[in-house]
Amino acid sequence: MDKLLAARTEFSRKDAKKLIWTGRVRHNGKIAVSPDAKVDLEKDTLELDGKMLLIKEHLYLMMNKPAGVLSAARDPKQPTVLDLVPAEYRRTGLFPAGRLDKDTEGFVLITDDGDFAHRILAPKKHVPKTYHARIDGPVTEQMLQGFAEGVQLEDETEPCLPAQLRLLQEGDEPLCEVVLTQGMFHQVKRMFLAYGRRVLWLKRVAMGGLVLDENLASGQCREILDKEIEMLLGKI
Ligand code: URA
């Protein structure tokens, strides 16, 4: 129990033992007495100071990343998405699966499941990522065709994989939807730049078949449900 407590909170193993000895932990509703007690991750409950802990093996969070925050684990100088994770979700090994630029908003998946992160990020898996972008000039026929065929970026030998580009809102600064199955550095921005367009605002709105929850305010996160994991991987 002490090992599990240390892994699922920010307490050390030593402090976890103290929490148990001082009666602050409940195991299946009863005050825990021994750090050596076995805990069933599937069936048991653990409470710390009356608050239920999430003890299951892995945690998957959907965050609506604000602009200005790094999608890195920790940074000595700048705020990161992990700094925004509320206390009840903090546990050892959490990291953001994939990166958004500092000025990009939207869906960041945060997990402690390395295998899962690999599955959604591996280039060969082609899990589509959907972005909304506001750009500084019109969407042309040439751009629509170029995105569909595969944009040739500056400084790259191979063209990008085909991507979908859709105009959502016309105007001087049109709003577009871009669906990518790759994750090259600054890819959306560089694809538009290949046509002389600058991206003024960028937000990731979906990963696989899982759409960013519109009830999540900027900087908030929530747990991803089991059935949503399937949607993310595109099975349903
Ligand atoms: N493409 C970009 O240019 N930036 C991002 O953050 C994500 C995709």
Side-chain angles (χ1 to χ4, degrees):
M1 184 185 290
D2 61 320
K3 189 172 169 192
L4 182 67
L5 264 176
R8 298 292 186 268
T9 64
E10 289 183 305
F11 292 100
S12 66
R13 190 104 181 243
K14 195 167 145 211
D15 288 339
K17 284 189 176 130
K18 277 194 205 148
L19 293 173
I20 297 167
W21 285 326
T22 51
R24 291 171 62 185
V25 180
R26 283 179 179 266
H27 184 195
N28 295 333
K30 294 204 187 88
I31 292 184
V33 286
S34 167
D36 295 332
K38 295 266 170 290
V39 182
D40 185 329
L41 295 184
E42 299 296 322
K43 292 195 218 123
D44 290 3
T45 60
L46 275 193
E47 287 160 73
L48 173 61
D49 295 334
K51 266 193 129 179
M52 205 59 91
L53 292 176
L54 282 165
I55 59 169
K56 58 186 176 184
E57 190 177 4
H58 289 304
L59 185 63
Y60 306 90
L61 298 173
M62 168 193 284
M63 175 172 285
N64 184 6
K65 174 185 145 1
V69 171
L70 293 182
S71 55
R74 291 278 175 212
D75 190 272
K77 294 204 190 94
Q78 305 190 62
T80 73
V81 287
L82 284 197
D83 296 327
L84 298 177
V85 173
E88 69 258 36
Y89 293 135
R90 294 207 179 158
R91 54 161 70 191
T92 307
L94 278 185
F95 66 97
R99 290 205 164 206
L100 290 181
D101 297 337
K102 187 176 169 189
D103 61 354
T104 302
E105 302 174 21
F107 195 160
V108 174
L109 187 118
I110 299 172
T111 184
D112 58 348
D113 184 346
D115 289 341
F116 179 78
H118 177 73
R119 277 165 76 195
I120 59 161
L121 298 177
K124 285 212 180 102
K125 303 284 182 196
H126 299 312
V127 173
K129 320 273 183 324
T130 306
Y131 295 88
H132 285 177
R134 207 168 268 290
I135 57 172
D136 70 348
V139 174
T140 62
E141 197 50 49
Q142 192 197 7
M143 286 161 76
L144 292 167
Q145 201 182 332
F147 273 55
E149 285 169 1
V151 177
Q152 180 61 56
L153 300 180
E154 237 182 67
D155 306 328
E156 299 286 344
T157 45
E158 297 279 315
C160 298
L161 292 176
Q164 290 169 38
L165 171 61
R166 212 156 60 89
L167 180 63
L168 297 178
Q169 197 183 77
E170 291 188 71
D172 292 344
E173 295 178 349
L175 184 67
C176 313
E177 182 173 88
V178 182
V179 184
L180 301 183
T181 54
Q182 275 173 304
M184 291 159 76
F185 186 60
H186 295 328
Q187 188 168 344
V188 172
K189 292 173 186 164
R190 287 162 76 205
M191 283 168 76
F192 279 113
L193 207 57
Y195 296 90
R197 299 287 179 274
R198 270 189 325 121
V199 171
L200 305 171
W201 171 84
L202 186 62
K203 179 172 186 173
R204 181 154 69 194
V205 294
M207 295 177 80
L210 183 57
V211 176
L212 178 65
D213 189 334
E214 56 185 38
N215 295 315
L216 281 180
S218 178
Q220 283 188 331
C221 65
R222 71 152 169 87
E223 217 183 326
I224 296 176
L225 313 171
D226 288 349
K227 81 168 194 285
E228 293 178 322
I229 296 278
E230 303 283 302
M231 289 162 80
L232 218 159
L233 294 171
K235 285 192 193 146
I236 49 176

